[in-house]
Amino acid sequence: MPKEIPYKIYLEENEMPKYWYNVRADMKVKPAPLLNPETLKPMTKEELSEVFCEELVNQELDDNTREYPIPQEILDFYKMYRPSPLVRAYCLEKKLNTPAKIYYKFEGNNTSGSHKLNSAIAQAYYAKQQGLKGVTTETGAGQWGTALSMACSYFDLDCNVYMVKVSYEQKPFRREVMRTYGASVTPSPSMTTNVGRRINEEFPGTGGSLGCAISEAVESAMSRDGYRYVLGSVLNQVLLHQSVIGMECKIAMDKYGIKPDMIIGCAGGGSNLGGLISPFMGEKLRGEKDYQFIAVEPASCPSLTRGKYAYDYCDTGKVCPLCKMYTLGSGYIPSSSHAGGLRYHGMNSILSELYDQGLMEARSVEQTSVFAAAQEFARVEGILPAPESSHAIKVAMDEAIKCRETGEEKTILFGLTGTGYFDLYAYAKFNDGVMSDYIPTEADLAKGFASLPDLKL
Amino acid sequence: MPKEIPYKIYLEENEMPKYWYNVRADMKVKPAPLLNPETLKPMTKEELSEVFCEELVNQELDDNTREYPIPQEILDFYKMYRPSPLVRAYCLEKKLNTPAKIYYKFEGNNTSGSHKLNSAIAQAYYAKQQGLKGVTTETGAGQWGTALSMACSYFDLDCNVYMVKVSYEQKPFRREVMRTYGASVTPSPSMTTNVGRRINEEFPGTGGSLGCAISEAVESAMSRDGYRYVLGSVLNQVLLHQSVIGMECKIAMDKYGIKPDMIIGCAGGGSNLGGLISPFMGEKLRGEKDYQFIAVEPASCPSLTRGKYAYDYCDTGKVCPLCKMYTLGSGYIPSSSHAGGLRYHGMNSILSELYDQGLMEARSVEQTSVFAAAQEFARVEGILPAPESSHAIKVAMDEAIKCRETGEEKTILFGLTGTGYFDLYAYAKFNDGVMSDYIPTEADLAKGFASLPDLKL
């Protein structure tokens, strides 16, 4: 007999997942390997280890190990903010008058405000284990940088964050959180790297870009002894760490005999979505159970729904390996009217391959409808969601409304990746009625596709 | 046998408190009654009901009912963000190398970011029950206003918030949260009330004050049909609602056989401290158990440690009833260098009476030491605390360090009332090393005391 289901399910400490699940182990067709942009041959462990921590390179390249035991030090840190609650959205169901049962996994109850901390602590741990002095990274609005600064503070690692200059100046709050955790935060482009100096010279007064910040962080890591570069999304290792989200969900749902019919997540680089769906996807890949998976992306940056499946540069600076993924081209830039994250031109290669095989669907939604859903959700469920998370809310609500119309009692699970406390400029725009939508034209997309490398593979 | 104690204790749904505890019922000497400032006689239910909701007036005046059953609608809302976790601060203990056992009750895991929501939902509920159209209130930095807007949105009540103009303009984020929840937010002094127009005329360009915002909110409520005024601290009804914090703590600690030796809370108007200690204080008053209670206030606004126990005005506008309390005088204004909340000149009358009877201690701490403690806490425990909460952290750490020196294994419980996500201007000052301390001179205090009414009681 299933137990009575609480409003919010918190796993007990002895029920918590002890390992990360690597979905690649159950994929018959594996994601395509990273390529060296010069030789066009698969990146070797040695090559990657110049930039990344060794154990993280192992995880990045490992298509076969199904279960990675989570080191005790990371389990200890997870205890500080995990388990995250799996919540039954009773109030939202009532508001929508739907027979659907809606659950969400809420990852926002930590100071970084999102799921990013799950991977940040793992990456900091492996850097510490390797005896490194510190790590470098880039951050846009600052969610990932905040998470990494918390993780580095815990392990007493130096943390250097290149923050896109326009965010550094206009959104000082996350910068101050990072500084409170002891990170050094440098506005990018800076004068501390060759690439930064070059860009400052070419474009005086530029506000910077994520692509430039990545290039600076990589250069900084490679030019200093005892430093490596770390990244908060897109990579397979990040999906592996984020599988803790899906593992907790699955353990909790199994415990109470709940089986989701559909699982919905927002998709930028893919870290949250991949982590949420991985263990469920594993069951689907092994033919044990079936689920409908839906990736939700912004209409302004539609890498899955309108992109091409091709090898592309991971960064606009073209310093990283080539990756086969659904992409809009590294030269694609979403309109500045686009709020929040999910601006990445590509998509994690595991998710790209699963999507290409038809194992996962994708939808794109426009931002004003996303903020309207966010507001409705906040008013009934209490939590003010991040704009990114609200993409998943929007589609979950759409699906619940369909159930009202058809009478189907579907069980919907979606990932609520974080809170919107640092996104209130965007909410203000919505509240003031001055937020607009942007859907790229075919011509806009063509410009991005023109930046795809011509590899002659 | 006590069960194995988890890192974080979450009560099960069936263990949650079903009633609020009214500590006045166990006090032999009751707190002094509110007085009508004109007649100097105790305020009657009828008089108070012109300003406040009826059931809340009952609660305000009731010195005898020990247990107030929490209405089901409020229990349902509590489920959205309660129970709050009771956390064992293992990492902080390790960092301090102390034999003390430190626990904290964390109230920040909700969108209002603090414990204020516990009373906001109760007040909104009773307003709705009374058939009111809406409520008015004031807010400084916006914590209470945010909580109230969430509560009103849930019960579909109109919510009008007068926000101190300087905060409205300089701290727009909480304003946007309130608007997202459907509240109308008016910068105070405004042109919508007599008192606002008068102050705007007398002091053109003024940034406003909490006292003025209170007066506007009260005037607005009294001049509109179907509206009442609500307040987030200081009142006895608020302590009653906030007793849910202490009730949850006590149930959780009793379950695992933990008995705190000392209980520490920050004190502004007293809502959090009173709520946290109430059920423990009840045991002390009934002679069942003994505890050490410590109220922590800022050195810049030391109402308990340096104030007078006297009848005083609750607001600078002098429109509210007179209240006997520890006070610095309604004319006392802490230095503008003072960051965060805890700026109230007085103190809830229950806590004032308990302090006067020697049942509770008080300490004052300086803000740079508070922010240093906050930073240390954040780095080891993950949570970025509100400046207000950090007053309690500071004294808890001091006490744990004393235990290191004496070898005593004391069990310390403190209230972590909220998060500092909207207080990053203050953190930035601290990070930049430009935060200063302010300790009022005797002459500064004398100016405040000069504003005390000469009542000839």
Side-chain angles (χ1 to χ4, degrees), chain B residues 9-19 83 86 105 243-258 279-280 283 413:
Chain B
I9 307 177
Y10 285 104
L11 293 180
E12 306 275 335
E13 279 182 16
N14 58 16
E15 298 169 326
M16 295 279 284
K18 300 286 186 297
Y19 63 87
L86 177 67
K105 181 72 168 168
S243 71
V244 71
I245 304 172
M247 294 290 294
E248 280 185 12
C249 271
K250 208 172 133 35
I251 294 167
M253 294 187 123
D254 285 349
K255 176 177 175 182
Y256 291 99
I258 308 161
F280 299 97
E283 290 187 315
L413 166 65

Side-chain angles (χ1 to χ4, degrees), chain B residues 142-197:
Chain B
Q143 224 167 31
W144 165 246
T146 307
L148 189 67
S149 67
M150 291 175 69
C152 286
S153 160
Y154 185 76
F155 284 125
D156 201 18
L157 270 177
D158 189 28
C159 180
N160 292 292
V161 181
Y162 287 88
M163 187 171 186
V164 176
K165 190 182 275 177
V166 63
S167 293
Y168 181 92
E169 287 166 357
Q170 290 180 4
K171 301 182 180 178
F173 281 9
R174 282 204 196 266
R175 177 186 83 206
E176 291 306 327
V177 179
M178 290 185 255
R179 291 180 69 207
T180 300
Y181 281 92
S184 79
V185 187
T186 306
S188 169
S190 75
M191 299 303 279
T192 67
T193 64
N194 291 327
V195 64
R197 285 187 288 270

Side-chain angles (χ1 to χ4, degrees), chain B residues 65 72 93 142 192 195-196 208 254 260 332 383 400:
Chain B
T65 308
Q72 188 60 46
E93 291 171 19
T192 67
V195 64
D254 285 349
Y332 179 78
I383 296 165

Side-chain angles (χ1 to χ4, degrees), chain A residues 7-8 13 79-80 82 111 150 153 176 179-182 375 378-379 382-384 421 428 431-432, chain B residues 7-8 13 79-80 82 111 150 153 173 176 179-182 375 378-379 382-384 421 428 431-432:
Chain A
Y7 189 98
K8 281 184 293 187
E13 278 182 17
K79 280 187 197 168
M80 290 210 288
R82 309 202 68 82
T111 291
M150 291 175 69
S153 161
E176 292 305 327
R179 291 180 69 207
T180 300
Y181 281 93
Q375 187 184 65
R379 290 187 182 184
I383 297 164
L384 186 80
Y421 305 150
N431 291 335
D432 289 335
Chain B
Y7 189 97
K8 280 184 294 188
E13 279 182 16
K79 280 187 197 169
M80 290 210 289
R82 308 202 68 82
T111 292
M150 291 175 69
S153 160
F173 281 9
E176 291 306 327
R179 291 180 69 207
T180 300
Y181 281 92
Q375 187 185 64
R379 290 187 181 184
I383 296 165
L384 186 80
Y421 306 151
N431 291 335
D432 290 335

Side-chain angles (χ1 to χ4, degrees), chain A residues 45-91:
Chain A
K45 186 179 163 181
E46 289 66 34
E47 287 169 335
L48 284 169
S49 297
E50 290 173 23
V51 181
F52 298 108
C53 303
E54 278 170 36
E55 178 54 28
L56 293 168
V57 171
N58 288 338
Q59 294 175 3
E60 191 65 30
L61 297 177
D62 182 353
D63 285 345
N64 298 304
T65 307
R66 183 173 280 111
E67 298 178 0
Y68 268 87
I70 306 174
Q72 188 59 46
E73 289 87 340
I74 299 175
L75 288 174
D76 287 344
F77 187 87
Y78 278 170
K79 280 187 197 168
M80 290 210 288
Y81 69 102
R82 309 202 68 82
S84 71
L86 177 67
V87 187
R88 173 80 182 266
Y90 283 112
C91 295

